[in-house]
Structure formats: C-alpha cells, structure tokens
DNA sequence: CTTCTTACA
DNA sequence: TGTAAGAA
C-alpha cells in the first residue's frame, strides 16, 4: 500500500508517516516512481509507535526500544530486561516533571491569592 | 487523482 | 505538524 492508504488505516497524517521514516521508525520500500510502499505489518508498527509516543518517549528512544517489544494482543509488552530499566527511568522523569509543574502551580496560586483591590 | 520534496506570514 | 508550491 502507498502512504495515503496507510494514513487512512492508521489515522496518522502522511506528514507524520514521512517523519517517522526520517527518524528511522519505518523503512518502506520505494517504487521506481519514488512512491513509498508499505506492508500490512506497518499498520501495526505505526500503532506501536503511536503508543510509545503517547507514553512520552522520543522518536530516538522508540528506535532503540521498538525491537525489544512484542505485540501482546492489543497491548505492548517489553521483552528485554534492560528495556524495562529504561522505561522505569522514563517513568521517573515524568514523575519529576509532574512535581515541578505542581510547584510552579503552587507559586501561581500564591500570587493569585495575593490579589488586592485597587484603592 | 496521488505522491514527492522543500520550505515557512 | 500543517500546508503551499512545483514537478512527476
């Protein structure tokens, strides 16, 4: 199938699909015309990429992590133990980010609470 | 009509 | 990431 069909079947824009390829996430063949040719398995591949992207992983991380994962029905399951380690680190980073945002929000709340009427 | 690349009021 | 432009 060509990019248009893959886009329709995955709900991912053609722009994004070309970007994924640029990042090494997909390696479609090329027809002499230059058109990209995707295989059926790429539909599932794109879904996995989406899941990881939504989980906050960068495309670079996904490139390394993807080969260590397998489709367990509808979910993604990590195979390599070292991968689980990286995922845990990623989870911790998110936790840290949440804490920082909570702190900045608290600062904002304080400032808002200081509102005073103009005399 | 579909895709490709490149570039950005 | 979207989108416009010019070419195939």
């Amino acid at each position: 199938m060509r990019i248009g069909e893959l886009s329709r079947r995955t709900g991912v824009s053609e722009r994004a699909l070309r970007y994924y390829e640029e990042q090494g996430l997909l390696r479609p063949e090329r027809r002499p015309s230059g058109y990209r040719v995707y295989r059926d398995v790429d539909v599932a591949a794109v879904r996995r990429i989406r899941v990881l992207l939504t989980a906050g992983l960068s495309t670079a991380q996904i490139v390394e992590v993807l080969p260590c994962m397998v489709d367990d029905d509808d979910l993604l399951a990590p195979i390599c133990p070292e991968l689980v380690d990286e995922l845990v680190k990623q989870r911790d980073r998110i936790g840290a980010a949440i804490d920082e945002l909570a702190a900045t929000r608290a600062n904002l709340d304080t400032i808002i609470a200081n509102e005073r009427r103009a005399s």
Side-chain angles (χ1 to χ4, degrees), chain A residues 13-26:
Chain A
S13 69
E14 299 182 2
R15 176 76 158 84
L17 291 175
R18 296 194 183 96
Y19 177 68
Y20 294 165
E21 175 181 13
E22 201 175 279
Q23 300 305 300
L25 268 34
L26 294 174

Side-chain angles (χ1 to χ4, degrees), chain A residues 76-88:
Chain A
L76 270 181
I79 299 175
C80 320
E82 68 256 78
L83 169 58
V84 176
D85 218 75
E86 283 187 48
L87 293 178
V88 171

Side-chain angles (χ1 to χ4, degrees), chain A residues 2-109:
Chain A
R2 291 174 309 186
I3 198 169
E5 187 179 343
L6 181 60
S7 175
R8 281 184 277 101
R9 288 169 54 169
T10 61
V12 174
S13 69
E14 299 182 2
R15 176 76 158 84
L17 291 175
R18 296 194 183 96
Y19 177 68
Y20 294 165
E21 175 181 13
E22 201 175 279
Q23 300 305 300
L25 268 34
L26 294 174
R27 349 236 13 169
E29 296 173 14
R30 292 293 187 123
R31 305 204 112 190
S33 60
Y35 285 14
R36 274 166 265 249
V37 178
Y38 299 90
R39 296 167 305 158
D40 291 23
V41 294
D42 289 326
V43 175
V46 172
R47 291 192 176 127
R48 275 174 290 183
I49 292 172
R50 288 299 315 173
V51 171
L52 267 6
L53 243 23
T54 301
L57 298 190
S58 67
T59 54
Q61 291 176 299
I62 296 177
V63 177
E64 305 174 349
V65 150
L66 211 48
C68 287
M69 307 202 71
V70 62
D71 269 321
D72 188 49
D73 289 311
D74 196 70
L75 301 176
L76 270 181
I79 299 175
C80 320
E82 68 256 78
L83 169 58
V84 176
D85 218 75
E86 283 187 48
L87 293 178
V88 171
K89 290 181 181 177
Q90 177 65 25
R91 191 229 59 181
D92 289 343
R93 287 180 203 150
I94 293 175
I98 289 175
D99 291 342
E100 288 183 15
L101 284 175
T104 63
R105 182 182 58 183
N107 288 332
L108 198 49
D109 285 341

